Amino acid sequence: MDTQQFIPNSLQNKITKTSFTWKTPSNIALVKYWGKTEPQIPKNASISFTLSNSHTITTIDFTKKSNSEADNKINFELFFEGKKKEDFKPKIAKFFERILEYCPYLTTYTMVIHSENSFPHSSGIASSASGMSAIAMCLMSLEKSLSSIELTNEFINKKASFLARLGSGSASRSIEGPLVVWGNHPDIKGSSDVFGVPFPYEVHEVFKNYHDAILLVDKGEKQVSSTVGHDLMHNHPFATQRFDQANENLAKISKILQNGEIDSFINLVESEALSLHAMMLTSTPYFILMKPNTLEIINAIWRYRDKTGSKVCFTLDAGANVHVLYPANETETIAQFIDNELSKFCQKNHYICDIVGLGAVNI
Ligand code: DP6
């Protein structure tokens, strides 16, 4: 894979002070990424809906170091929701180290990062996806200003996805929308292990403006991070079968998204969610991220579907929360279903109504 294309060779140090703000969304995987090798190369291809309301807003102020300050270090301060956040710094410092080769300007400036999320962090909503993609977009805005050649939006998005991936794999799918594939797959034209690409085929009407109500079963910190979970796929007894299954599911969902077979969509998406959690149940050490209320919600969705013929379904991330997915024509009935039968299983009855979106926005 040609990663050389991401090393800039026509930068000018013409800017002393500048600032960029980006709003980037979270995403919800339909076929899951779970298992990777260095450097952040996925073991299988994945696809996600880009979300809208679950997002991160990040501003980075860049100030050029004076000659006396010039060093080869990456210097930044981090504020999360207005407060200095030392415990988030190591992950971002590691991210900056990893991308320095592709963003040499990181040592030329001191950076002040202000970030805020529209949702609780470490709750199973991919805060690393929106967080890392927002930083990547801010860096690409700086790169665009410094570059003596015109950078196309296509290149900016591709490199932002490439950079974001090096911070968090799923972040590669949070630059564009409404559907993004990450991971090389023979059925997806242009797909790559090193960046996400928008799903390249025409999507059936029924999958446009899809809704995702995120039921917050557990807003606390996860007991096992995704990073640890990915690691446990090394030497996992079912790893090979899982990676094959995911790639097969990606081929299937590509067709389903085009032909609008919603019952097949429901089957595949729910099976993916349960297969992901089955990997957790069968790793060494084993762990369970679902909570009793996760199962209550799943069962209630199945009963409701049986009773009403609704096309609602669920998926799960690496956490206890349930993503309730449904087509736009069921918006009102599902809102009632959630209020009457599902919100009681959420912490403080709290859920987030989200809808598929188009990706990063400069603000
Ligand atoms: C279950 O992208 O959070 O959400 O690359 O280690 O940062 P790192 O992992 P991360 O893993 C996401 C896993 C998942 C499935 C998915 O989004 O595809």
Side-chain angles (χ1 to χ4, degrees):
M1 178 38 67
D2 172 25
T3 53
Q4 288 297 108
Q5 61 173 311
F6 298 124
I7 300 179
N9 50 23
S10 43
L11 295 180
Q12 296 176 334
N13 278 334
K14 53 189 178 189
I15 292 168
T16 49
K17 212 168 170 44
T18 189
S19 179
F20 302 99
T21 301
W22 280 89
K23 176 167 110 176
T24 59
S26 179
N27 66 72
I28 179 64
L30 304 170
V31 172
K32 310 288 182 181
Y33 146 63
W34 198 243
K36 60 179 169 182
T37 51
E38 281 290 321
Q40 295 280 100
I41 301 299
K43 284 292 205 170
N44 61 262
S46 57
I47 184 168
S48 48
F49 272 139
T50 304
L51 298 177
S52 311
N53 301 335
S54 309
H55 59 248
T56 298
I57 297 177
T58 295
T59 299
I60 307 187
D61 302 322
F62 297 93
T63 309
K64 198 167 164 188
K65 293 176 187 171
S66 65
N67 285 344
S68 64
E69 287 167 333
D71 54 18
N72 284 327
K73 299 217 170 79
I74 299 168
N75 302 102
F76 71 98
E77 276 185 62
L78 179 67
F79 295 84
F80 183 70
E81 279 157 11
K83 295 196 193 88
K84 249 197 168 154
K85 203 70 185 156
E86 293 302 321
D87 47 332
F88 284 7
K89 269 187 101 175
K91 189 161 186 194
I92 293 174
K94 194 170 152 208
F95 171 49
F96 286 150
E97 293 292 341
R98 277 193 127 151
I99 62 172
L100 183 56
E101 187 187 352
Y102 307 102
C103 305
Y105 40 81
L106 278 174
T107 54
T108 316
Y109 292 87
T110 55
M111 295 174 276
V112 180
I113 307 172
H114 283 272
S115 201
E116 60 188 50
N117 288 344
S118 64
F119 52 84
H121 82 94
S122 294
S123 61
I125 303 181
S127 62
S128 63
S130 52
M132 293 297 178
S133 56
I135 295 176
M137 287 311 295
C138 290
L139 296 181
M140 287 314 295
S141 290
L142 176 66
E143 182 166 325
K144 186 180 160 92
S145 320
L146 296 175
S147 179
S148 53
I149 54 167
E150 187 67 37
L151 302 182
T152 63
N153 283 342
E154 193 191 342
F155 175 82
I156 288 171
N157 285 343
K158 196 199 268 192
K159 180 165 173 184
S161 172
F162 168 81
L163 296 176
R165 176 197 116 246
L166 291 165
S168 177
S170 55
S172 66
R173 300 187 313 241
S174 272
I175 303 291
E176 295 185 83
L179 281 154
V180 179
V181 176
W182 168 45
N184 188 22
H185 192 286
D187 289 10
I188 308 291
K189 200 163 164 268
S191 59
S192 167
D193 279 348
V194 296
F195 50 79
V197 294
F199 182 67
Y201 311 113
E202 180 61 28
V203 171
H204 192 277
E205 212 44 44
V206 74
F207 296 119
K208 292 191 176 147
N209 304 318
Y210 231 67
H211 287 249
D212 177 8
I214 309 166
L215 306 191
L216 300 174
V217 170
D218 184 14
K219 294 196 238 172
E221 294 263 346
K222 279 186 276 181
Q223 290 124 337
V224 181
S225 71
S226 293
T227 310
V228 172
H230 285 291
D231 248 12
L232 293 174
M233 288 305 283
H234 297 295
N235 305 319
H236 191 291
F238 307 133
T240 314
Q241 295 91 323
R242 166 60 199 153
F243 303 142
D244 289 348
Q245 177 198 40
N247 282 326
E248 279 159 25
N249 278 343
L250 197 85
K252 286 184 193 156
I253 206 167
S254 169
K255 292 209 181 70
I256 292 168
L257 290 167
Q258 295 172 71
N259 65 24
E261 276 178 19
I262 198 162
D263 290 327
S264 310
F265 176 86
I266 292 169
N267 248 294
L268 188 150
V269 167
E270 292 190 344
S271 165
E272 268 293 313
L274 296 177
S275 296
L276 168 74
H277 282 258
M279 291 302 107
M280 303 172 191
L281 300 178
T282 49
S283 60
T284 310
Y286 46 81
F287 58 105
I288 304 177
L289 294 183
M290 292 182 286
K291 299 275 187 215
N293 281 349
T294 310
L295 300 181
E296 292 285 3
I297 292 167
I298 292 174
N299 280 308
I301 289 173
W302 286 343
R303 279 197 303 271
Y304 180 80
R305 216 162 54 212
D306 272 354
K307 202 171 75 190
T308 64
S310 160
K311 302 300 181 192
V312 66
C313 71
F314 74 87
T315 189
L316 306 167
D317 256 341
N321 300 331
V322 183
H323 289 249
V324 180
L325 300 175
Y326 51 100
N329 65 356
E330 292 195 39
T331 308
E332 277 164 32
T333 43
I334 297 298
Q336 278 168 13
F337 168 51
I338 292 173
D339 279 340
N340 295 341
E341 294 179 49
L342 300 184
S343 64
K344 62 180 177 226
F345 299 120
C346 302
Q347 275 195 2
K348 298 188 182 149
N349 295 329
H350 192 178
Y351 62 92
I352 299 169
C353 287
D354 216 330
I355 183 160
V356 166
L358 292 178
V361 180
N362 187 205
I363 54 177

